[in-house]
Amino acid sequence: MLDYPLLEAVAAVDREGSFEGAARALHLTPSAVSQRVKLLEERVGTPLVVRGRPCAATPAGRHLCRHVEQVGLLERDLHGLLPAAGADAGPSRPAVLRVAINADSLATWFPGAMARFAAGEDTLLDVALDDEAHTAEWLHTGQVLAAVAARAKPSPGCRSVPLGGLRYLATASPAFVARHFAGGVDAASLARAPTLQLSRKDELQRRWLRKVCRKDVEPPTHGLPTTQAFLEASLAGVAWCLNPEALARPHLAAGRLVELVRGTALDVPLHWHHARLAPAAVERLTRAVVAEARRQLRPR
Amino acid sequence: MLDYPLLEAVAAVDREGSFEGAARALHLTPSAVSQRVKLLEERVGTPLVVRGRPCAATPAGRHLCRHVEQVGLLERDLHGLLPAAGADAGPSRPAVLRVAINADSLATWFPGAMARFAAGEDTLLDVALDDEAHTAEWLHTGQVLAAVAARAKPSPGCRSVPLGGLRYLATASPAFVARHFAGGVDAASLARAPTLQLSRKDELQRRWLRKVCRKDVEPPTHGLPTTQAFLEASLAGVAWCLNPEALARPHLAAGRLVELVRGTALDVPLHWHHARLAPAAVERLTRAVVAEARRQLRPR
């Protein structure tokens, strides 16, 4: 078997971002943590941790971290069946389940799923953000055990469940519309009015523009990295953008936002992907996610 | 002089994340973009772009991207003085000003500063997020032209302006408090009640725990990467956490959140750092940032 105290040291440095943080979490001294990491690096014959600010696992180290997390989750399942099995191990830290979510899900329906899950559970969640076109890669490369992704097709060894569509509306403030679209919303005015992009991977505004203009349009684009900042920037008249309908609705009703072109809502179908051979906590999270998505997303 | 059409190709690939995206932005074919990047890589003798999903500049390429952005901003200043100078260059793309901001500023007062700036300006903002203890490094390494940072001391060649304090309150839902703190809020109950961490760099909850418990406490910790998700998770009873007072206030007033320990607010002083020899747009953004911070942050 592997030498788990050494693996735990690497995982803790990666999770906490420093040798000091790992030492605190493991109730060791920083030099003991450092010795364990070095020893494992010598045995494996490759660096496992990049000593930076923060410290992080190397690609080889990440495989070990993922393994430690999965073993931790499996130990919890065992503990449920055989409570005495962990009796002499002292109070164990709760297991951590890493998942990859798109920003707009985290800003809308996912907290409800997290609340359902956390209510009956002491497993912790560690949420990573990425574009829904890229979250499935996190699962495929083993960085997470489950993901919310746009694509339906599961990776080998994984299962995919349809969640429904996240609806977006292209919106702007009334003052922004008056300034930029007084002569109508068309390819010419859309090429001049500033819009937003969440990250380089974010194709949503571009997709809406192609749907409405039937050609590629390249408007001036601010980069804003959060869903909430999109909403604030559209309310403040900085730009137009696609906002999740759930966030835009109260502002549309109050007249603080208007829809650029009626009848051009964009539905992004989402799917829940998870490893087939996953710890029981993943099954419980799946039930919470599917229940909450059914309540908040649009059926297909 | 440098061969700017080649540099522009590298900057566009980095900004758009793909050769196709760069081609669209520059009104070229993807193969023309690829040839320009290759030619510059041969001349410089080092790779400038990592061909991945998304594509991104190498460290060497990033220096060139930053240079192109700064030249773009300086060209705009020149154009303001000598409108005819750019007459034969065709319709130029608006300049982009990259800044690094902490998540809680973006979720509270920064959109107001952005709205002030954008009202009289067609310069675009590209906002990167990082912990306020690390944003100054982005400026120091030339990845951004300005940053909101915790530290007061400017890097060489930079200027720093105090903005005031962002106030945080440790809050949780009434049901969470009843479940976890029925016997009082002390080091023992705080070591068991789940809390949140925005990223590995986020020390805020830990700092509050040290202030209140007068020692290190290691509670079970979910990882949630956005300010808004912190608020939602505390409202849903998943965890306690430090929320910016501005976001927590309406929920405290309505009884949906309660303060864990009265009189334990934490003020994080913030500073605006920018390069001394910066284009005029940085000066204009500085004025907008200082004005909005004065309105929304706490004077020292």
Side-chain angles (χ1 to χ4, degrees):
Chain A
M1 296 275 301
L2 295 171
D3 192 342
Y4 282 96
L6 307 192
L7 268 75
E8 266 194 307
V10 170
V13 170
D14 181 62
R15 194 176 55 241
E16 305 291 331
S18 68
F19 285 80
E20 295 70 31
R24 268 199 307 264
L26 298 174
H27 305 290
L28 293 170
T29 64
S31 92
V33 173
S34 170
Q35 279 168 22
R36 290 180 186 202
V37 173
K38 265 187 225 151
L39 187 56
L40 191 56
E41 286 180 325
E42 281 163 21
R43 287 200 198 155
V44 179
T46 183
L48 299 172
V49 169
V50 181
R51 277 79 172 167
R53 285 194 297 171
C55 295
T58 61
R62 220 174 296 138
H63 289 295
L64 294 179
C65 294
R66 174 199 166 203
H67 176 76
V68 171
E69 278 173 16
Q70 286 183 309
V71 170
L73 287 162
L74 291 170
E75 280 189 9
R76 294 199 80 70
D77 293 351
L78 181 66
H79 190 73
L81 299 168
L82 272 177
D88 56 348
S92 69
R93 297 188 327 103
V96 176
L97 208 168
R98 292 197 82 201
V99 296
I101 310 288
N102 62 316
D104 294 334
S105 286
L106 185 60
T108 54
W109 64 273
F110 193 81
M114 189 172 178
R116 279 175 193 259
F117 174 71
E121 182 89 34
D122 63 352
T123 304
L124 299 166
L125 290 184
D126 187 15
V127 176
L129 284 186
D130 201 350
D131 187 273
E132 63 270 18
H134 296 260
T135 42
E137 281 169 40
W138 288 66
L139 180 60
H140 186 65
T141 56
Q143 295 179 73
V144 298
L145 282 174
V148 171
R151 79 167 198 223
K153 191 168 174 255
S155 296
C158 296
R159 206 161 73 91
S160 146
V161 190
L163 293 176
L166 185 52
R167 170 155 291 190
Y168 292 87
L169 302 176
T171 61
S173 71
F176 185 90
V177 171
R179 191 159 70 250
H180 292 278
F181 300 116
V185 179
D186 54 28
S189 55
L190 284 166
R192 285 190 306 266
T195 185
L196 304 176
Q197 193 176 26
L198 193 78
S199 76
R200 290 166 184 165
K201 300 172 185 172
D202 172 18
E203 291 279 338
L204 206 61
Q205 278 64 226
R206 206 167 268 160
R207 213 191 299 169
W208 184 85
L209 285 168
R210 265 200 298 273
K211 178 176 165 172
V212 169
C213 303
R214 297 175 184 285
K215 64 172 184 174
D216 283 334
V217 175
E218 295 295 331
T221 306
H222 295 280
L224 269 185
T226 71
T227 306
Q228 202 64 26
F230 264 49
L231 188 68
E232 297 292 341
S234 50
L235 284 166
V238 171
W240 71 269
C241 66
L242 289 177
N243 281 309
E245 185 187 26
L247 299 182
R249 204 182 295 126
H251 301 293
L252 288 165
R256 289 186 294 266
L257 287 180
V258 292
E259 209 181 335
L260 283 197
V261 186
R262 274 175 189 275
T264 57
L266 209 61
D267 285 346
V268 174
L270 295 175
H271 299 80
W272 177 249
H273 294 240
H274 66 83
R276 266 183 197 284
L277 285 175
V282 173
E283 261 313 318
R284 295 192 295 272
L285 178 60
T286 297
R287 281 198 294 276
V289 160
V290 169
E292 191 64 21
R294 191 163 298 154
R295 212 173 67 80
Q296 294 204 42
L297 296 179
R298 303 185 74 88
R300 302 193 303 160
Chain B
M1 295 275 304
L2 294 170
D3 193 342
Y4 283 94
L6 307 191
L7 269 75
E8 266 194 307
V10 170
V13 170
D14 180 63
R15 194 176 55 240
E16 305 291 330
S18 69
F19 285 80
E20 295 70 30
R24 268 199 307 266
L26 299 175
H27 305 290
L28 294 169
T29 63
S31 94
V33 172
S34 171
Q35 280 169 21
R36 290 178 186 204
V37 172
K38 265 187 225 152
L39 186 56
L40 190 56
E41 287 180 324
E42 282 163 18
R43 286 197 197 159
V44 178
T46 184
L48 299 172
V49 169
V50 181
R51 276 80 172 168
R53 284 193 299 170
C55 295
T58 62
R62 220 175 298 137
H63 288 296
L64 293 179
C65 294
R66 175 200 166 202
H67 176 75
V68 170
E69 278 173 16
Q70 286 184 308
V71 170
L73 287 162
L74 291 171
E75 280 189 8
R76 294 200 81 70
D77 293 352
L78 181 66
H79 189 73
L81 300 168
L82 272 177
D88 56 348
S92 69
R93 297 187 325 103
V96 177
L97 208 167
R98 293 198 81 200
V99 296
I101 310 288
N102 62 314
D104 294 334
S105 286
L106 186 60
T108 53
W109 64 274
F110 193 80
M114 190 173 176
R116 280 174 193 260
F117 174 70
E121 184 89 34
D122 63 350
T123 304
L124 299 166
L125 290 185
D126 187 13
V127 176
L129 284 187
D130 201 349
D131 187 273
E132 64 270 19
H134 296 259
T135 41
E137 281 169 40
W138 289 65
L139 179 62
H140 186 64
T141 56
Q143 296 178 71
V144 298
L145 283 174
V148 171
R151 81 167 197 225
K153 192 171 174 251
S155 297
C158 296
R159 207 161 72 93
S160 147
V161 189
L163 294 176
L166 185 53
R167 171 155 291 190
Y168 293 86
L169 302 176
T171 61
S173 72
F176 185 91
V177 170
R179 191 159 71 251
H180 293 279
F181 299 117
V185 179
D186 53 28
S189 54
L190 284 167
R192 285 190 305 268
T195 185
L196 304 177
Q197 194 176 28
L198 193 78
S199 76
R200 289 166 184 166
K201 300 173 184 171
D202 172 18
E203 292 279 339
L204 207 60
Q205 277 65 224
R206 205 167 270 159
R207 213 192 297 170
W208 184 86
L209 286 167
R210 265 199 299 273
K211 179 176 165 171
V212 169
C213 304
R214 296 175 184 285
K215 64 172 183 172
D216 283 334
V217 174
E218 293 294 331
T221 306
H222 295 279
L224 268 185
T226 70
T227 305
Q228 201 65 27
F230 264 49
L231 187 68
E232 297 292 340
S234 51
L235 284 166
V238 170
W240 71 269
C241 66
L242 289 177
N243 281 309
E245 186 187 26
L247 299 182
R249 204 182 298 127
H251 301 291
L252 289 164
R256 289 186 295 265
L257 287 180
V258 292
E259 208 180 334
L260 284 197
V261 186
R262 275 175 188 274
T264 57
L266 209 60
D267 286 345
V268 174
L270 295 175
H271 299 80
W272 177 249
H273 293 240
H274 67 83
R276 266 183 197 284
L277 285 175
V282 173
E283 262 312 318
R284 295 192 294 271
L285 178 60
T286 298
R287 282 198 294 275
V289 161
V290 169
E292 191 64 22
R294 191 163 298 155
R295 213 172 67 80
Q296 295 204 41
L297 296 179
R298 303 184 74 87
R300 304 193 302 162

